Amino acid sequence: MSAVRAAPAPVRSGRVSEIVLPSGDLEAPHQRQPAIGGPDIRTIGGRSTSMTTDDGKLLDEFTEGNIRILNIIEGDLENGVVMCVKFSTDGSLLAAGFSNGHVKVYDAFDGQCHHVLTCEDRMPVTSVRFFPSLHNQTPEKNHILLATYASGHVRIWHYTSGKCLLSKNEMRRRNDTSSLAFNISGDKFVTVGADPEIFVYDSETKKRINVLEATNCMDKMDGHRFRVFSVQFHPNDPNVFISGGWDNTVQFWDVRSRHAFRKLYGPHICGDSLDIDPVHYHILTGSWRTDTPLQIWDFGTGEKIKDVPQDRLFGSMLYCAQWVGKETLACGGSMQNMARLIDRGTLNTVGQLANLPNGVYAMDNDRQDPRPVIAAAASNKVYLLKQVPK
């Protein structure tokens, strides 16, 4: 059973001691399943440290600034770590995918688990998406959720009954399907994965209608050359989307054309860290690196607008990044194991959740308020957060 435990007090107790540990390699981008139960490891000034009190006890997570923990959803350890999270369109439900292949659907208000979706192969769930809620939606499309898996499968679930309506093996050369996205009209969705090809599907027939890829000419970068981790449709154009991955490019696509029509160079995407602002059409990218991991770009030109400065104490290599309302952006990652809220105008940190048990591998917001509820996943926990007034 999953449990909702009381949120910790947003302060630290005791004096923080520093324990110097043997140096080691940073977590590789492709190893997104951390060990369960290990200490919170930080890298500060070239040394690995663990946050403890005087008696050697590890400190719990804590918040700083204008952020409050509403709830902590804590899954059973046998479920593994939370790999992905997503709110429903109306913000009432939260789906979480685990590394043991389970998908759990929670009440976003009280954190109670209502539905558990299981399959036999028990491969990690890499992304979850609720079918978009549309005004003219037919009844059979209600209560539908799509999930992708490290096995290369895409599964369509009727989550209230727990039935898997379709299980499709994409037959990728390297198996893993990393993510998916619906367009604004809900009539198409795309998937990305370990191969550079992007698959386009018709939501009604569930059939693949196009394969998007780069040309064979290596002198022309009109598509990806390596693994793709993130995909995001334009908020107002049902045919246009962007994607990013290991080849340090963000590619711009039209579902009707085989090759990308624009690219921007720089972001090293290793998680769900692409987003498009629906008002200004600014792209937010989060990179798994220490130097300028968070950047803002213009969708229309592909030109960089600005680099968002790293927090000088709590910098992180990012797995996830997202616009949160009109005034804030959020990001999370590893190295400092934290989630951070940043003011869009000043680029200053306005709140952060720190000292987490592992890196933040997934994040979403419910888009229901000028200050939406934010879900940030670390280890087997999902933290429900809210920005509060100063």
Side-chain angles (χ1 to χ4, degrees), residues 149-338:
Y149 297 78
S151 61
H153 284 81
V154 178
R155 293 189 171 97
I156 302 176
W157 295 93
H158 185 263
Y159 57 83
T160 52
S161 67
K163 293 181 179 179
C164 182
L165 304 180
L166 178 69
S167 180
K168 181 179 182 62
N169 188 337
E170 292 201 295
M171 303 301 290
R172 293 182 180 272
R173 296 190 303 274
R174 298 182 182 91
N175 291 331
D176 185 7
T177 299
S178 302
S179 190
L180 70 92
F182 281 99
N183 66 358
I184 188 173
S185 60
D187 65 339
K188 295 181 181 65
F189 66 91
V190 298
T191 65
V192 297
D195 298 333
E197 292 83 11
I198 297 175
F199 299 151
V200 183
Y201 292 91
D202 182 284
S203 298
E204 189 69 33
T205 65
K206 315 299 187 297
K207 293 183 178 180
R208 188 183 301 170
I209 57 176
N210 207 353
V211 177
L212 313 185
E213 58 187 348
T215 59
N216 292 327
C217 177
M218 296 300 291
D219 295 333
K220 191 173 184 180
M221 193 72 171
D222 56 355
H224 290 291
R225 300 295 181 181
F226 297 105
R227 172 189 287 267
V228 186
F229 267 113
S230 188
V231 59
Q232 182 72 39
F233 265 96
H234 190 282
N236 290 311
D237 190 325
N239 294 311
V240 175
F241 68 92
I242 58 175
S243 60
W246 276 359
D247 59 14
N248 298 332
T249 70
V250 171
Q251 300 285 341
F252 295 67
W253 305 87
D254 188 304
V255 295
R256 299 162 295 189
S257 302
R258 185 178 177 187
H259 308 304
F261 63 85
R262 183 188 302 133
K263 70 177 182 299
L264 61 86
Y265 181 80
H268 186 71
I269 305 297
C270 295
D272 194 6
S273 58
L274 281 179
D275 201 10
I276 305 173
D277 168 20
V279 177
H280 304 287
Y281 303 147
H282 290 170
I283 299 171
L284 181 67
T285 61
S287 296
W288 198 83
R289 64 187 181 210
T290 56
D291 182 38
T292 61
L294 198 59
Q295 297 173 303
I296 300 172
W297 311 78
D298 179 68
F299 185 94
T301 64
E303 296 295 324
K304 185 170 67 176
I305 297 173
K306 62 183 68 174
D307 296 323
V308 179
Q310 277 269 47
D311 188 284
R312 63 186 183 88
L313 293 179
F314 292 96
S316 234
M317 301 167 71
L318 302 181
Y319 284 117
C320 43
Q322 199 169 82
W323 296 110
V324 179
K326 296 180 180 179
E327 301 175 353
T328 311
L329 53 104
C331 62
S334 62
M335 189 174 78
Q336 295 297 342
N337 296 350
M338 50 73 69

Side-chain angles (χ1 to χ4, degrees), residues 349-369:
T349 299
V350 295
Q352 56 195 7
L353 172 67
N355 209 41
L356 295 172
N358 287 109
V360 176
Y361 295 113
M363 180 179 285
D364 193 31
N365 75 88
D366 67 5
R367 300 170 179 83
Q368 300 302 306
D369 190 77

Side-chain angles (χ1 to χ4, degrees), residues 378-390:
S379 187
N380 64 319
K381 303 173 185 177
V382 180
Y383 299 83
L384 297 179
L385 311 170
K386 183 84 170 181
Q387 186 180 356
V388 295
K390 297 180 181 179

